[in-house]
Short mmCIF file of all heavy atoms in Angstrom, two decimals:
data_model
loop_
_atom_site.label_atom_id
_atom_site.label_comp_id
_atom_site.label_asym_id
_atom_site.label_seq_id
_atom_site.Cartn_x
_atom_site.Cartn_y
_atom_site.Cartn_z
N TYR A 164 1.83 15.16 -3.37
CA TYR A 164 3.21 15.12 -3.18
C TYR A 164 3.98 14.53 -4.38
O TYR A 164 3.56 13.50 -4.90
CB TYR A 164 3.63 14.31 -1.93
CG TYR A 164 3.31 14.94 -0.66
CD1 TYR A 164 2.04 14.74 -0.07
CD2 TYR A 164 4.14 15.73 -0.01
CE1 TYR A 164 1.66 15.32 1.17
CE2 TYR A 164 3.85 16.36 1.25
CZ TYR A 164 2.61 16.13 1.89
OH TYR A 164 2.33 16.74 3.00
N VAL A 204 8.19 17.41 -2.98
CA VAL A 204 7.55 18.66 -3.21
C VAL A 204 6.03 18.61 -2.90
O VAL A 204 5.39 17.75 -3.54
CB VAL A 204 7.82 19.26 -4.65
CG1 VAL A 204 7.06 20.54 -4.88
CG2 VAL A 204 9.28 19.48 -4.90
N PHE A 223 18.46 17.54 -13.91
CA PHE A 223 17.41 16.58 -14.33
C PHE A 223 16.05 17.33 -14.61
O PHE A 223 15.76 18.29 -13.93
CB PHE A 223 17.13 15.66 -13.18
CG PHE A 223 15.95 14.66 -13.37
CD1 PHE A 223 15.92 13.67 -14.34
CD2 PHE A 223 14.73 15.10 -12.65
CE1 PHE A 223 14.74 13.00 -14.60
CE2 PHE A 223 13.50 14.26 -12.89
CZ PHE A 223 13.59 13.28 -13.77
N VAL A 246 4.63 -6.89 -3.71
CA VAL A 246 5.16 -6.81 -5.13
C VAL A 246 6.59 -7.37 -5.00
O VAL A 246 7.11 -8.00 -5.97
CB VAL A 246 5.09 -5.35 -5.62
CG1 VAL A 246 5.80 -5.30 -6.95
CG2 VAL A 246 3.70 -4.97 -5.80
N TYR A 275 -9.37 -0.23 -16.81
CA TYR A 275 -10.31 -0.20 -15.62
C TYR A 275 -10.48 1.17 -15.01
O TYR A 275 -11.15 1.28 -14.00
CB TYR A 275 -9.80 -1.30 -14.63
CG TYR A 275 -9.77 -2.65 -15.19
CD1 TYR A 275 -8.62 -3.37 -15.30
CD2 TYR A 275 -10.98 -3.30 -15.47
CE1 TYR A 275 -8.63 -4.66 -15.79
CE2 TYR A 275 -10.97 -4.55 -15.93
CZ TYR A 275 -9.83 -5.27 -16.09
OH TYR A 275 -9.81 -6.56 -16.62
N VAL A 299 8.48 2.22 -8.65
CA VAL A 299 7.73 3.37 -9.16
C VAL A 299 8.21 3.94 -10.52
O VAL A 299 7.72 4.81 -11.08
CB VAL A 299 7.86 4.56 -8.12
CG1 VAL A 299 7.15 4.18 -6.83
CG2 VAL A 299 9.25 5.04 -7.95
N LEU A 311 1.22 4.29 -0.21
CA LEU A 311 1.98 3.14 0.24
C LEU A 311 1.73 2.88 1.76
O LEU A 311 1.55 3.77 2.57
CB LEU A 311 3.54 3.33 0.10
CG LEU A 311 4.02 3.73 -1.22
CD1 LEU A 311 5.48 4.06 -1.12
CD2 LEU A 311 3.71 2.46 -2.21
N ARG A 384 -14.98 3.94 5.08
CA ARG A 384 -13.64 3.82 5.85
C ARG A 384 -12.99 2.54 5.35
O ARG A 384 -13.54 1.50 5.53
CB ARG A 384 -13.83 3.91 7.35
CG ARG A 384 -14.34 5.33 7.81
CD ARG A 384 -14.66 5.35 9.23
NE ARG A 384 -15.48 6.52 9.57
CZ ARG A 384 -16.25 6.68 10.61
NH1 ARG A 384 -16.38 5.68 11.48
NH2 ARG A 384 -16.84 7.75 10.81
N ASP A 419 -15.73 1.62 13.10
CA ASP A 419 -16.69 1.24 12.02
C ASP A 419 -16.05 1.24 10.62
O ASP A 419 -16.51 1.88 9.65
CB ASP A 419 -17.79 2.28 12.09
CG ASP A 419 -19.07 1.88 11.30
OD1 ASP A 419 -19.16 0.62 11.05
OD2 ASP A 419 -19.89 2.64 10.97
N ASN A 475 3.99 -26.69 -0.95
CA ASN A 475 3.10 -27.43 -0.25
C ASN A 475 2.51 -28.54 -1.24
O ASN A 475 2.02 -28.17 -2.28
CB ASN A 475 1.93 -26.62 0.35
CG ASN A 475 2.46 -25.74 1.43
OD1 ASN A 475 2.73 -26.15 2.59
ND2 ASN A 475 2.64 -24.48 1.14
N GLY A 486 -14.87 -16.45 3.87
CA GLY A 486 -15.97 -16.75 2.90
C GLY A 486 -15.50 -17.25 1.66
O GLY A 486 -16.27 -18.02 0.96
N LYS A 515 -4.17 -13.47 -16.49
CA LYS A 515 -5.59 -13.39 -17.02
C LYS A 515 -6.19 -12.14 -16.56
O LYS A 515 -7.20 -12.09 -15.76
CB LYS A 515 -6.33 -14.55 -16.63
CG LYS A 515 -5.95 -15.89 -17.21
CD LYS A 515 -6.93 -17.08 -16.84
CE LYS A 515 -6.42 -18.34 -17.43
NZ LYS A 515 -7.42 -19.49 -17.02
#
Side-chain angles (χ1 to χ4, degrees):
Y164 285 91
V204 176
F223 170 74
V246 175
Y275 298 115
V299 298
L311 304 175
R384 294 174 191 157
D419 196 16
N475 292 282
K515 294 183 178 179

